[in-house]
């Protein structure tokens, strides 16, 4: 489904092409044993009177039979119908019925039918102007075909254009929600959990604060909450807690909200207390206990790593916090690193996990206090380092000053001796009397 607008070229006048399509539909009906009135005969007088929209109405109403057209003729027949409909000023009146037909099974080609339908729908989508809101309804038909044929890959590459399309179509929040939910359902059936959750969350964000307590908002919020809990790689729940509809669960579904708060900020002990207090509730909600326990252990280890001041976690401490045997600690540390929650290095010799980087799950007063304590520790360490550096600097300066004084003293002593020697050397030689007489 390219973003550019395409052109559909078919030769012939409106009347000629309408007559040709009506004749083709009559032929299909005859092959199926339908001896009803002739569509061609029905629209001929209408066309002679110049009533194009009335003729189109009859053609579009009868077009469902094109789904039984031979595979090699299917696209050409529908393209002809689309070409005729484009010539009407009431395009929006006819396209929904065509999209409805294409969303239905293509009985003449069960195997290739979805591909044929998507080809025609793509043509319709691309011949419409970019800002024509009818594209919205065509895209919804595309989603129905994709969902029925499990062909999410054909759609996935186009989702990057969604924000632009919605802006161009000036879609209201209710229609946006329908669109996002449709994409989420298609993605979910294709086991694309990341995409499914993303569009489910986007659907939730279209709910205003005034609608946050509605039944629709409540059901959608619970659905999103469960999806987030069961998603294997989703660990940050603040994208949910920031939503008004999720906060509304605090009153309408307090147990659901309590569970969300535990996964958002609490530890494994708190989760165990929850399951003890609400025995059997997790299973009743269709949640997988093994998935939740695994996620809760990873989150607990992440919190443990973020809160430790020494940046070093003994295996024994991890074992107690995660309630697992000591021999399993390394496996859980590797899993939490793979999940991107913590970075560090295992020391088997010292039986410790050395933490290089960790991230707080939530950031509140407690976390600010921990950060302040850590900064105070770093400041004290830096002051100690600066003190040592300052002492060494002063020591070096004193040593250089001492060496400089010694050098000056040696130069002065050596200079005096050299002067006297020079003076003696300049003394005139003594005269020798050879006794000439």
């Amino acid at each position: 489904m390219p973003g550019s607008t395409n052109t559909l070229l078919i030769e012939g006048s409106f009347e000629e092409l309408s007559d040709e399509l009506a004749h083709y539909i009559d032929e299909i009906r005859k092959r199926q044993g339908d001896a009803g009135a002739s569509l061609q005969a029905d629209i001929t007088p209408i066309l002679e009177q110049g009533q194009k929209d009335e003729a189109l109405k009859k053609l579009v109403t009868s077009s469902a039979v094109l789904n039984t057209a031979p595979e090699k003729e299917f696209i050409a027949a529908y393209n002809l119908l689309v070409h005729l409909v484009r010539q009407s000023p009431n395009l929006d009146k006819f396209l929904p019925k065509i999209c409805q037909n294409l969303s239905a099974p293509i009985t003449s080609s069960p195997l290739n039918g979805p591909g044929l339908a998507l080809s025609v729908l793509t043509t319709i989508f691309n011949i419409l102007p970019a800002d024509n809101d009818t594209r919205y309804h065509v895209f919804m038909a595309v989603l129905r075909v994709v969902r029925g044929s499990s062909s999410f890959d054909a759609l996935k590459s186009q989702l990057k254009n969604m924000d632009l399309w919605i802006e161009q179509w000036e879609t209201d929040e209710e229609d946006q929600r329908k669109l996002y939910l449709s994409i989420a359902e298609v993605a979910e059936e294709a086991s694309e959990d990341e995409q499914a959750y993303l569009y489910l969350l986007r659907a939730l964000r279209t709910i205003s604060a005034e609608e946050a307590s509605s039944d629709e908002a409540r059901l959608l919020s619970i659905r999103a909450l469960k999806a987030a809990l069961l998603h294997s790689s989703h660990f940050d729940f603040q994208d949910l807690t920031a939503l008004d509809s999720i906060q509304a669960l605090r009153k309408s579904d307090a147990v659901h909200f309590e569970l969300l708060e535990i996964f958002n900020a609490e530890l494994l002990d708190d989760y165990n207390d929850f399951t003890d207090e609400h025995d059997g509730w997790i299973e009743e909600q269709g949640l997988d206990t093994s998935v939740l326990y695994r996620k809760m252990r990873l989150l607990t280890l992440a919190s443990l790593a973020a809160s430790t001041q020494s940046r070093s976690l003994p295996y024994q401490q991890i074992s107690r916090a995660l309630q697992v045997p000591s021999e399993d600690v390394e496996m859980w540390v590797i899993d939490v690193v793979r999940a991107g929650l913590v970075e560090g290095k295992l020391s088997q010799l010292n039986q410790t996990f050395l933490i290089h980087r960790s991230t707080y799950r939530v950031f509140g007063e407690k976390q600010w206090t921990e950060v302040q304590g850590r900064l105070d520790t770093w400041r004290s360490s830096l002051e100690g380092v600066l003190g040592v550096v300052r002492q060494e600097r002063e020591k070096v300066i004193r040593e250089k000053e001492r060496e400089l004084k010694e050098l000056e003293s040696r130069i002065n002593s050596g200079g005096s001796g050299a002067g006297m020697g020079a003076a003696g050397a300049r003394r005139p030689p003594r005269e020798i009397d050879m006794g000439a007489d």
Side-chain angles (χ1 to χ4, degrees):
M1 191 177 294
S4 58
T5 301
N6 292 345
T7 302
L8 187 63
L9 297 175
I10 298 178
E11 295 183 358
S13 68
F14 180 87
E15 290 75 14
E16 291 171 344
L17 295 175
S18 297
D19 183 74
E20 179 183 336
L21 181 58
H23 175 72
Y24 182 75
I25 291 175
D26 284 342
E27 288 298 314
I28 295 177
R29 286 174 170 177
K30 288 178 183 178
R31 287 200 296 265
Q32 295 177 350
D34 185 350
S38 168
L39 178 62
Q40 186 179 20
D42 197 11
I43 70 168
T44 298
I46 299 175
L47 290 171
E48 291 174 350
Q49 297 171 16
Q51 298 178 359
K52 291 184 177 181
D53 272 14
E54 284 301 314
L56 281 175
K57 182 178 179 181
K58 291 183 178 294
L59 286 170
V60 171
T61 302
S62 304
S63 63
V65 75
L66 294 179
N67 285 21
T68 65
E71 182 177 324
K72 62 181 180 180
E73 301 171 2
F74 179 89
I75 292 178
Y78 262 109
N79 281 348
L80 176 55
L81 177 61
V82 172
H83 173 71
L84 293 171
V85 166
R86 283 187 70 201
Q87 299 181 49
S88 168
N90 301 309
L91 186 66
D92 298 349
K93 178 180 177 181
F94 301 113
L95 280 181
K97 175 61 177 174
I98 297 175
C99 291
Q100 180 183 344
N101 292 345
L102 291 166
S103 301
I106 310 303
T107 56
S108 61
S109 181
L111 181 61
N112 298 319
L116 295 172
L118 287 175
S119 177
V120 178
L121 287 168
T122 298
T123 298
I124 297 173
F125 187 92
N126 289 331
I127 63 176
L128 292 170
D131 59 352
N132 191 318
D133 59 3
T134 302
R135 274 187 159 196
Y136 171 87
H137 302 287
V138 178
F139 191 78
M140 292 295 285
V142 168
L143 290 174
R144 289 192 291 271
V145 174
V146 168
R147 184 177 185 182
S149 59
S150 301
S151 52
F152 183 75
D153 288 341
L155 173 71
K156 194 173 181 180
S157 62
Q158 299 301 320
L159 295 179
K160 64 180 182 295
N161 300 315
M162 193 57 55
D163 290 338
L164 174 61
W165 288 342
I166 287 175
E167 182 181 351
Q168 291 172 336
W169 303 336
E170 298 181 351
T171 312
D172 62 29
E173 290 184 342
E174 184 177 355
D175 282 340
Q176 285 183 42
R177 185 154 61 249
K178 291 178 182 177
L179 178 59
Y180 292 148
L181 287 176
S182 295
I183 296 174
E185 289 165 1
V186 173
E188 185 177 359
E189 291 188 6
S191 299
E192 293 279 352
D193 295 339
E194 187 69 31
Q195 292 288 338
Y197 179 73
L198 171 64
Y199 281 95
L200 189 57
L201 195 61
R202 295 185 73 168
L204 266 180
R205 288 172 179 157
T206 64
I207 298 175
S208 64
E210 294 75 18
E211 302 173 311
S213 300
S214 67
D215 289 339
E216 180 188 12
R218 173 183 169 274
L219 293 174
L220 193 55
S221 297
I222 292 175
R223 178 180 166 187
L225 190 157
K226 291 181 178 180
L229 291 175
L230 295 177
H231 194 300
S232 60
S233 60
H234 190 84
F235 297 98
D236 184 358
F237 296 91
Q238 294 186 62
D239 54 358
L240 284 177
T241 57
L243 298 175
D244 292 328
S245 60
I246 292 291
Q247 289 296 324
L249 295 179
R250 190 189 297 269
K251 293 182 178 179
S252 64
D253 297 84
V255 181
H256 282 94
F257 192 81
E258 181 183 356
L259 180 62
L260 175 60
E261 286 191 312
I262 290 173
F263 275 84
N264 185 48
E266 305 301 336
L267 305 176
L268 181 60
D269 286 339
D270 302 292
Y271 178 69
N272 287 333
D273 292 341
F274 174 89
T275 56
D276 290 341
E277 183 180 354
H278 305 284
D279 186 29
W281 184 87
I282 295 289
E283 292 78 6
E284 290 173 5
Q285 297 300 314
L287 297 170
D288 190 326
T289 55
S290 62
V291 172
L292 297 189
Y293 264 113
R294 180 182 183 278
K295 179 172 286 192
M296 199 67 240
R297 284 191 169 96
L298 293 176
L299 291 171
T300 298
L301 181 50
S303 290
L304 201 62
S307 61
T308 184
Q309 295 288 335
S310 65
R311 315 304 291 170
S312 176
L313 279 175
Y315 282 14
Q316 190 176 21
Q317 185 179 354
I318 298 174
S319 175
R320 285 197 304 269
L322 271 57
Q323 300 171 19
V324 296
S326 298
E327 55 268 24
D328 291 343
V329 165
E330 291 184 359
M331 177 192 71
W332 283 102
V333 171
I334 292 171
D335 284 349
V336 82
V337 170
R338 284 176 176 170
L341 298 173
V342 181
E343 290 180 7
K345 182 179 179 181
L346 287 166
S347 174
Q348 293 180 326
L349 179 64
N350 298 320
Q351 293 286 285
T352 57
F353 175 44
L354 305 176
I355 302 160
H356 298 161
R357 182 196 64 82
S358 58
T359 305
Y360 286 106
R361 290 159 60 194
V362 293
F363 211 89
E365 184 178 349
K366 178 181 177 182
Q367 287 70 36
W368 277 115
T369 302
E370 290 177 0
V371 169
Q372 182 181 1
R374 194 166 294 171
L375 288 174
D376 289 342
T377 300
W378 289 346
R379 183 175 63 184
S380 298
S381 298
L382 288 173
E383 286 175 350
V385 171
L386 288 173
V388 172
V389 170
R390 192 179 296 110
Q391 290 175 3
E392 288 299 316
R393 182 172 176 273
E394 292 173 353
K395 180 179 178 182
V396 169
I397 291 173
R398 289 195 301 270
E399 184 67 23
K400 285 186 176 181
E401 288 176 349
R402 184 183 63 79
E403 291 177 354
L404 185 60
K405 288 179 181 179
E406 290 181 356
L407 180 60
E408 289 177 349
S409 176
R410 290 174 184 174
I411 290 173
N412 291 334
S413 299
S416 299
M420 287 187 292
R426 287 193 296 269
R427 224 173 266 163
R430 180 182 304 168
E431 292 185 356
I432 300 176
D433 188 0
M434 300 293 293
D437 290 339

